[in-house]
Amino acid sequence: MNDVIAVILFIGVIAYALFGGADFGAGFWDLTAGGAERGRKPRDLIDHSLGPVWEANHTWLIFCLVMIWSGFPQAFAAITTTLYIPLGLTVLGIVLRGSGFAFRKALVRTSEQRVAGAVFAASSVVTPFFLGAVAGGIASGRVPTGGYGDALSSWTNPTSMLGGILAVSVCAYLAAVFLTGQSVRRGDTELERGFRLRALGAGVASGMVALAGVFILHDDSPRLFHQLSRVGLPLLIISAVCGVAALLLLRSGRPPLVRTLAAAAIACVVAGWGVAQYPYLLGTHLTIDQAASPSATQWVLIAVSCVAAVLIAPSLVLLYTLSLRRKLG
């Protein structure tokens, strides 16, 4: 049962990496779109793409938090008492990001719109970085079982920096692929070409970061490297194949296929981390069974997850489908 809860939790992590990742990545391209005139069309596309779904994407984050603090309270306590700095900055980034996105549309003065837009865009970059740093701290074993680990070295280490940079580059890649498809639906060849080039650049950058990460993990997180190079290797290979295929098919004019391949590439990377981490929740010293809550709580979590799958998941699928078809916003 403990493993089932862990799998459900990680499904939520993958979902947030995909939907929240595309959301954050769109903010990255908003930040780098250029001046007011040059960036007008890309920012307009980003606004219309994010408008209907940006709040719903954080449903997955809430789901993950509920699952970990209810299903594995010891791990939750250890993480929050050690990595409270990057976690606090993540929360601040999410709040500022949402405020900036909302106020940019509501404000009238151009100068105020620019300030709100800058807050939205900058927060869209730093937030995934801190989330990646948190993942790196957990994966590299720098969160002690009893919590209250080093407040700085736990997330400023090489593995955490790798996680943060990889998170930003992957989010940018995923968003560029999605926005390329949105450009195709608009029939705007200029935007399509621009976001296709962005997707190619972000995809290559993500691959280079991942390649450099091999050497970083070898020196800084030997167990994680060992497991990724063995039990996690098939998933990493699938991720690489899907990522390259998505880039090669960007010009094909088949956005659903390209989106699916790009999403599969990201999902396999995150799943590879989960497989390599198993059976530990924290580095190499706290297993899933050791951190699990009582069986009665586990049964409640399974029941709640089933209810969510029946009631909430179809609503989110409908929302995303209508958004992709430009029926909302």
Side-chain angles (χ1 to χ4, degrees), residues 66-193:
V66 171
M67 292 299 294
I68 190 169
W69 84 48
S70 300
F72 307 100
Q74 185 178 359
F76 178 79
I79 292 168
T80 52
T81 56
T82 300
L83 296 166
Y84 57 87
I85 293 178
L87 287 172
L89 292 171
T90 296
V91 173
L92 179 62
I94 291 173
V95 172
L96 290 176
R97 184 178 184 277
S99 301
F101 185 72
F103 283 125
R104 180 166 69 174
K105 293 184 176 183
L107 294 172
V108 177
R109 295 180 181 177
T110 302
S111 59
E112 294 174 343
Q113 289 178 338
R114 287 175 177 171
V115 171
V119 170
F120 158 71
S123 300
S124 297
V125 176
V126 299
T127 302
F129 174 83
F130 287 125
L131 284 171
V134 168
I138 295 171
S140 60
R142 287 180 167 90
V143 178
T145 301
Y148 300 97
D150 192 287
L152 290 178
S153 64
S154 60
W155 66 279
T156 57
N157 56 81
T159 302
S160 288
M161 293 300 101
L162 169 66
I165 295 171
L166 187 61
V168 173
S169 62
V170 162
C171 288
Y173 162 67
L174 191 60
V177 169
F178 275 59
L179 290 168
T180 300
Q182 296 290 67
S183 302
V184 171
R185 287 186 179 81
R186 278 196 174 192
D188 192 321
T189 56
E190 181 183 355
L191 271 179
E192 178 191 352
R193 182 168 56 252

Side-chain angles (χ1 to χ4, degrees), residues 45 66 83 134 150 161 167 196 207 216 225 284 300:
L45 178 65
V66 171
L83 296 166
V134 168
D150 192 287
M161 293 300 101
R196 186 171 66 243
I216 293 174
F225 171 81
T284 60
V300 171

